[in-house]
Amino acid sequence: MITAVYPGSFDPITNGHLDIIKRSAKTFDKLIVAVLNNPNKTPMFDLEERVDLIRQSISDLNNVEIDCFSGLLIDYMQNKNVNVIIKGLRAISDFEYEFQMALMNRKLNKEIETLFMMTNSDYSYLSSSLVKEAFRFGGNIENLVPDIVIQKMKEKL
Ligand code: ADP
């Protein structure tokens, strides 16, 4: 049985994330979506809200678990006894950073493999920060994030 971890900030979850989650859930026996608690950043949604939005967006997937972590991803994975990291790749601009991260993580623990999944072309330009920016200035973000996210964003404003 192979379990993979899909880490990220998910502030908030977008349809691009959701696409990676669905495809990974099909590819692996189990997927853990691991939400990063980063004390150096002020998110739009706190950890609990981000987890909640993911939970409501994936209620139809029964082999996906949601969890939180802080500190080193490698340490979290060792504790969970999982050794596959899933990352989404949108563009060449993602590549350099992800390449660095993957090599650093392998240096820290050579048992852990990072696997990359290409974005769905419909969402290749999509990021949480761009969605938030568009929304702040009144842009229509329908079809870019789950409806529940739009609802919660409206409540925030
Ligand atoms: P963002 O870059 O949107 O702020 P996160 O830190 O939450 O996102 O990203 C978590 C993971 O999801 C990363 O591996 C990132 O490359 C991937 N990802 C984010 N948006 C997309 C997308 N539209 N298509 C594919 N992968 C994506």
Side-chain angles (χ1 to χ4, degrees):
M1 174 159 149
I2 303 185
T3 301
V5 164
Y6 177 40
S9 306
F10 304 104
D11 183 39
I13 185 167
T14 68
N15 286 349
H17 294 132
L18 210 49
D19 177 70
I20 299 286
I21 292 173
K22 286 180 180 159
R23 286 158 58 203
S24 305
K26 258 199 249 173
T27 309
F28 297 95
D29 300 297
K30 185 178 155 191
L31 181 73
I32 302 173
V33 179
V35 185
L36 174 65
N37 184 16
N38 184 349
N40 299 325
K41 273 193 190 165
T42 312
M44 179 176 210
F45 293 99
D46 66 30
L47 198 59
E48 211 177 303
E49 291 173 314
R50 282 180 274 153
V51 166
D52 213 52
L53 288 173
I54 300 170
R55 183 162 294 128
Q56 295 187 60
S57 310
I58 60 158
S59 53
D60 53 330
L61 301 172
N62 52 25
N63 62 338
V64 180
E65 183 185 305
I66 308 161
D67 197 9
C68 306
F69 76 103
S70 48
L72 280 182
L73 175 62
I74 290 299
D75 290 338
Y76 169 78
M77 299 199 45
Q78 253 166 326
N79 287 335
K80 285 267 165 186
N81 207 13
V82 175
N83 51 20
V84 178
I85 304 173
I86 290 294
K87 287 299 192 88
L89 267 191
R90 282 166 289 200
I92 298 177
S93 51
D94 275 344
F95 179 82
E96 197 167 341
Y97 177 72
E98 294 294 353
F99 183 62
Q100 247 186 328
M101 287 282 282
L103 292 190
M104 180 53 126
N105 282 336
R106 187 177 321 138
K107 179 84 188 159
L108 297 175
N109 184 336
K110 64 180 189 337
E111 301 303 322
I112 292 181
E113 287 294 346
T114 307
L115 302 183
F116 292 93
M117 203 167 260
M118 284 309 155
T119 183
N120 178 323
S121 56
D122 291 344
Y123 306 127
S124 59
Y125 60 94
L126 205 55
S127 70
S128 297
S129 48
L130 200 54
V131 163
K132 285 183 279 192
E133 197 166 319
F135 184 78
R136 259 184 215 121
F137 295 105
N140 180 3
I141 56 167
E142 235 169 280
N143 301 322
L144 304 184
V145 295
D147 289 343
I148 179 75
V149 170
I150 299 183
Q151 216 174 297
K152 289 285 170 202
M153 283 173 88
K154 282 183 180 158
E155 287 171 20
K156 288 266 170 201
L157 271 194

